[in-house]
């Protein structure tokens, strides 16, 4: 199937009446696709898919379409959303410590490059902190500078160990032995499919 056909097929899956907060609907997607504005159409489909539960395989098809069009960040985002369907959604507000207070002097890349460790409350038998790893996606920006704050999404490497978290919980980011930031959990949703862990 050609990429335009893939985007058209994906747009047919969006239920009628679904709209974003900016009143974007599937009719807007069709308008952009009809004028060969594929990147805009793909972006609008990504936004619309946040307003309803996409069926299995939706994000995989979107990832393929974005890759065929050469839209790297969109491809990565579609992969990420597909992983969230399988493993669950964890969103948080992350505040990094300022430069000079930790080893980080440069911005943290935002698109699933970093796999920092997190203190999410697990302890060893001796009471010492047991850290867990989660891939990090910074929402709406490409990178997060030291001292900055942003909404982030976390994709744990061992998802069941994170299931106890709830909105309002605070967790701590570690890139070294020294804490690099603190995050407050905003949202936790279970996986849509039956997959439980990587």
């Amino acid at each position: 199937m050609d990429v335009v056909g893939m985007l058209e097929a994906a747009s047919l899956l969006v239920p009628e009446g679904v709209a974003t907060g900016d009143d974007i609907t599937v009719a807007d997607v069709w308008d952009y696709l009809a004028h060969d504005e594929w990147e805009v159409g793909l972006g609008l489909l990504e936004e619309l898919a946040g307003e309803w539960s996409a069926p299995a395989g939706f994000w995989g098809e979107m990832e393929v379409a974005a890759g065929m069009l050469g839209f790297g960040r969109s491809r990565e985002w579609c992969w990420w959303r597909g992983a969230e369907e399988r493993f669950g959604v964890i969103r948080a507000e992350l505040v990094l410590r300022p430069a000079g207070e930790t080893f980080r002097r440069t911005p943290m890349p935002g698109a699933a490059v970093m796999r920092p460790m997190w203190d999410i409350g697990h302890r060893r038998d001796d009471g010492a902190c047991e850290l867990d790893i989660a891939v990090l996606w910074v929402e709406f920006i490409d990178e997060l500078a030291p001292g900055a704050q942003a909404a982030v999404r976390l994709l744990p490497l061992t998802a069941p160990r994170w299931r106890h978290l709830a909105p309002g919980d605070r967790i701590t980011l570690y890139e070294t032995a020294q804490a690099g930031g603190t995050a407050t959990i905003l949202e936790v949703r279970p996986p849509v499919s039956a997959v439980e862990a990587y």
Side-chain angles (χ1 to χ4, degrees):
M1 180 181 279
D2 66 299
V3 69
V4 177
M6 294 173 79
L7 294 174
E8 289 173 348
S11 65
L12 290 171
L13 296 173
V14 180
E16 194 172 325
V18 170
T20 68
D22 298 330
D23 291 327
I24 294 168
T25 67
V26 73
D28 297 305
V29 174
W30 278 98
D31 187 46
Y32 282 104
L33 293 179
H35 292 95
D36 296 332
E37 295 285 342
W38 302 324
E39 186 171 15
V40 177
L42 176 64
L44 295 180
L45 273 172
E46 291 171 11
E47 285 185 50
L48 281 170
E51 305 298 323
W52 61 289
S53 294
F58 176 86
W59 288 109
E61 289 296 313
M62 295 281 286
E63 178 187 355
V64 170
M68 289 172 69
L69 290 167
F71 304 147
R73 187 164 171 95
S74 284
R75 180 183 47 77
E76 293 165 7
W77 176 242
C78 293
W79 174 87
W80 183 277
R81 290 302 308 273
E84 286 183 333
E85 294 287 318
R86 295 186 307 276
F87 304 111
V89 175
I90 301 174
R91 293 182 63 248
E93 187 71 21
L94 174 63
V95 180
L96 292 181
R97 292 179 65 186
E101 291 186 15
T102 66
F103 91 99
R104 178 163 288 285
R105 303 284 187 264
T106 60
M108 181 177 281
V113 172
M114 301 297 297
R115 290 167 170 75
M117 298 170 289
W118 299 86
D119 177 357
I120 60 172
H122 294 291
R123 297 291 175 261
R124 295 189 207 135
D125 291 339
D126 64 2
C129 176
E130 187 173 20
L131 299 176
D132 290 87
I133 298 171
V135 185
L136 177 76
W137 185 284
V138 182
E139 294 184 343
F140 311 117
I141 56 176
D142 292 333
E143 56 188 21
L144 186 61
Q149 175 175 335
V152 298
R153 298 173 96 97
L154 304 173
L155 194 59
L157 295 187
T158 312
R161 289 179 53 86
W162 294 65
R163 298 275 157 73
H164 67 283
L165 294 175
D169 288 348
R170 290 174 59 88
I171 61 176
T172 306
L173 176 143
Y174 288 88
E175 293 183 84
T176 65
Q178 186 179 29
T182 305
T184 303
I185 301 297
L186 300 173
E187 177 183 5
V188 178
R189 279 188 276 143
V192 173
S193 65
V195 176
E196 285 294 318
Y198 285 91

